[in-house]
Amino acid sequence: MPKPKGQDSFTRMQRAIQSSPIPEMIADLAAGNITPVSSTGELRMRYRKDHISEADATTCMTHACRAHALAVGSVLVVTDHAGTICFGVVPDPGLEKDDPKMAPVFRTLGKLIDTDHSVTIVAARAEPDSRRSVECPIFVMPAFEYRRTHGRFVEAYGSYLTSFQLAVPQLHVQPAPVD
């Protein structure tokens, strides 16, 4: 079937991007007016003339972070399974995740995860859980000084790369004494 005349999807997408706050976000990231960890509330306030929703602010910021990473370089960030804690950051070597040269990078990221994090997970569970592991996702983000509290922004705006499986220790329940 021949392609109908008119605009192709690439042109339509480019026009949509240019009419969104993404170009302005990219410029603001470069100028330091916003950061890769700006809240969606801050973004909605800053770009209120565009009348963006919280979901639109997140989507636009994700695209802006990807573009900004091309300009300033990218890093790999490992977070906890809930996306609240940022454990650590390493420079992104720009290789495919299954490239053997990525193994040392992943080992370094693995060492950045709190050693007692899995114990904390078990202690925080209200009910017994049979899961033996929990995921710690790795995201690609623009180079920035990420702090431990930035996990939710990394999860919201970052590009997911892969995850670590963190073993969760099983608690051994002691039988109740018989009277």
Side-chain angles (χ1 to χ4, degrees):
M1 175 174 202
K3 184 176 176 186
K5 290 194 174 216
Q7 293 185 351
D8 60 8
S9 59
F10 178 77
T11 304
R12 190 175 302 116
M13 185 179 271
Q14 290 300 315
R15 195 173 68 224
I17 289 172
Q18 291 305 317
S19 66
S20 76
I22 295 172
E24 192 177 350
M25 285 180 172
I26 295 168
D28 285 342
L29 280 166
N33 297 329
I34 61 173
T35 68
V37 294
S38 295
S39 70
T40 54
E42 179 184 346
L43 297 174
R44 290 183 68 202
M45 184 63 108
R46 184 171 190 85
Y47 306 104
R48 66 179 164 256
K49 69 177 176 43
D50 296 301
H51 304 289
I52 58 175
S53 66
E54 189 166 331
D56 287 341
T58 300
T59 301
C60 290
M61 188 61 162
T62 299
H63 290 292
C65 282
R66 288 176 183 158
H68 188 58
L70 292 173
V72 300
S74 59
V75 294
L76 302 179
V77 184
V78 63
T79 66
D80 70 328
H81 69 291
T84 56
I85 300 171
C86 174
F87 287 120
V89 178
V90 297
D92 181 4
L95 303 170
E96 292 295 323
K97 66 180 180 182
D98 56 353
D99 188 311
K101 294 177 186 168
M102 284 293 283
V105 176
F106 290 140
R107 276 194 297 277
T108 301
L109 280 170
K111 290 177 184 174
L112 297 173
I113 298 171
D114 294 346
T115 54
D116 62 344
H117 184 65
S118 60
V119 175
T120 305
I121 293 169
V122 172
R125 292 181 178 161
E127 298 177 9
D129 195 334
S130 62
R131 288 182 292 173
R132 302 228 180 253
S133 66
V134 68
E135 288 189 20
C136 288
I138 300 170
F139 296 93
V140 180
M141 287 289 287
F144 182 74
E145 293 292 323
Y146 296 96
R147 293 186 302 221
R148 186 172 175 86
T149 57
H150 291 155
R152 69 185 176 110
F153 301 110
V154 170
E155 183 179 46
Y157 309 141
S159 298
Y160 174 81
L161 180 65
T162 190
S163 291
F164 282 110
Q165 291 293 322
L166 184 63
V168 176
Q170 298 299 308
L171 294 178
H172 298 288
V173 179
Q174 298 291 330
V178 179
D179 291 330

